[in-house]
Amino acid sequence: MDRSGGAADRPPGPRPILWDTTAVLALLCLLPILHDVKTMLSAPYWLDEAWVALSVRFPLGDLPVTTSSSPLGWSLLLRLVPDPDDLRLVTLAFQGLAVVAAYGFGRALRWSTPGRGVVAGAACAAAVLLLPAQQVRHDLKQYTADAAVAVGVLALVAWVEQRWSRRRLNVLTAAVAAGMLVSHVTAIVAPCAFGGLLLVTAVRRQWLRLVEVTVAGLNAGLVLAGVYFGISMQGRNVPMQQFWADNFPGVTELPGYLARQIDTLMPVVGAPGLVVVALLVAGTLTLRRRGRPAAAVAVMLLPVVATIVGVAKVYPLLELRTSHFLLVTAAAVAGIGVAGLASRAADLACRRLPRVRPAVLAAAVCAVLLGGYAAGNSHWYRFDGNRPGLYYTAIAVTDVRSATEYVARHRLPNDVVVMNNAAWYGFAFYSRHERLKLVVPHGNTVGWWVDMPDRSDVVVVPGHDTTAVGASLRHAVELAAERGDGARVWLIRSHVVGDEVDVWRQALAAYRVEQVTGGVEPVARISTA
């Protein structure tokens, strides 16, 4: 065996393909048990999801514009889903890929027997599967792809170390290139991956490998730069930077900011802070002791690079959605820590129980630890978007689909529809048979707007302030009067938050408002007082 990690380090004997396949399939079968897939696929799209979903309604040639806030490859994958109402299947698919990648990550370490490798892979994957943060990421955004790519790249680093070859290094490079198309955080994870390989080969004075890793890293860097500057950078505009401004701490603000954000994230981590730290240390040490030092270095570099790009105002730091990949990666490393501790405990126990197989004891220890974790976080599983007093997502408190469909069924030809701009993307998407026109550029976070040329009856409030809301309401009422006797004004609002709630309350006080539907975002009719 090559102690430097250059030769194959798998134990002798046939590879237990059946064990691996069975373990992975069993874990994937838990996805629909832990996740409320029915609600996930049936819930209407909220604001951020609506403009992602709208991208499938435009010609392929418009994709570089309409995908500005999402990776290009992610938006392409959405077009493979036959029913536009089921686009969250892509989100769910990446949930599953993260579990598979985590299994490969734990499995790729140098374990003494294949059985222990299967146990480690299952423990790593189970930690990712059971993580509460995974249960709340059901929205139509690329965050689950971020997690799958991050864990997958780390798994490939361990795979490269398992049996060194130029072909494996090329696979890692190709995976990084593909990952950048579906996940912007690949640009954060890839430098850590190649940095780990470079540092380990340099310390070992493996100069030929160092040259190979350097060339591979440069090739990957060129691809990352090409995708970022050629495609992704157009999503980096002033409104987007302003939106994330609170998640770009300065150097002097960093200690307090990190403390606050970590405290905010702990509920979706699902374990006490000291336990999490202990398992992360155990996982990193297990990577090193089990012959994967480059992967261990990559894991340690990841929070450092994430902090640097956050301070540099390039990518939000420790925000629940955008840093989802960090939470899932931490879960995977903690799962490896559980497997490492279980393996050592099994070795000690087998001295007194020589007839018991170590892999069986390790599996039992992992089952107890991860079972306790699952029991403690059972309230997160089958999360439907709303846990009163605990947590909610926009999926549970927005429903522009019902409002759009109700007005479409009940409006008369001369009626007028007025809505806030947060409802407009969803209204356009759920107005399924209406002609759409792309409007660019536009000074919002996604950089584009959509027009419905055949709907002169629609008034969209351009802002959230009292002046904009009041003027739009007056215009809608005047337009209804111009369109003839009996014309009614329908009001649709979505994602009304913060000061906008009071703005609407004050503006509507001048009118007679009748609520005509129930639900979380009811439709109303407006007439002059």
Side-chain angles (χ1 to χ4, degrees), residues 301-338:
L301 286 175
L302 196 53
V304 176
V305 175
T307 301
I308 290 172
V309 297
V311 172
K313 304 186 187 314
V314 175
Y315 193 79
L317 176 62
L318 288 187
E319 195 274 335
L320 177 61
R321 293 170 295 171
T322 58
S323 292
H324 181 65
F325 75 103
L326 289 176
L327 298 178
V328 175
T329 301
V333 175
I336 290 175
V338 169

Side-chain angles (χ1 to χ4, degrees), residues 135-316:
Q135 318 309 316
V136 303
R137 282 279 67 81
H138 291 161
D139 38 1
L140 186 62
K141 299 288 284 184
Q142 68 273 14
Y143 306 125
T144 58
D146 293 342
V149 168
V151 178
V153 168
L154 292 176
L156 286 175
V157 172
W159 179 68
V160 169
E161 290 187 281
Q162 184 185 62
R163 186 170 66 248
W164 186 276
S165 72
R166 191 173 299 173
R167 181 183 66 83
R168 292 195 174 204
L169 196 58
N170 290 338
V171 170
L172 173 62
T173 305
V176 165
M180 188 63 182
L181 293 175
V182 298
S183 168
H184 293 150
V185 305
T186 308
I188 297 175
V189 180
C192 302
F194 284 100
L197 290 170
L198 282 169
L199 181 60
V200 170
T201 52
V203 169
R204 290 173 171 169
R205 300 183 180 182
Q206 297 169 322
W207 307 123
L208 179 59
R209 287 187 188 175
L210 184 63
V211 172
E212 292 175 347
V213 173
T214 301
V215 171
L218 289 174
N219 288 336
L222 288 174
V223 173
L224 294 178
V227 174
Y228 177 76
F229 290 105
I231 301 173
S232 305
M233 194 174 179
Q234 62 182 321
R236 182 180 166 84
N237 52 47
V238 173
M240 186 69 79
Q241 291 294 104
Q242 291 174 341
F243 181 82
W244 292 118
D246 291 341
N247 298 107
F248 293 142
V251 174
T252 57
E253 303 168 326
L254 195 57
Y257 175 85
L258 291 176
R260 289 192 304 272
Q261 292 303 108
I262 291 173
D263 185 62
T264 300
L265 294 174
M266 288 313 295
V268 294
V269 172
L274 291 177
V275 173
V276 174
V277 171
L279 289 176
L280 290 176
V281 171
T284 305
L285 291 176
T286 300
L287 285 168
R288 173 65 184 89
R289 289 168 178 167
R290 297 291 175 177
R292 304 296 177 258
V297 172
V299 165
M300 290 186 289
L301 286 175
L302 196 53
V304 176
V305 175
T307 301
I308 290 172
V309 297
V311 172
K313 304 186 187 314
V314 175
Y315 193 79

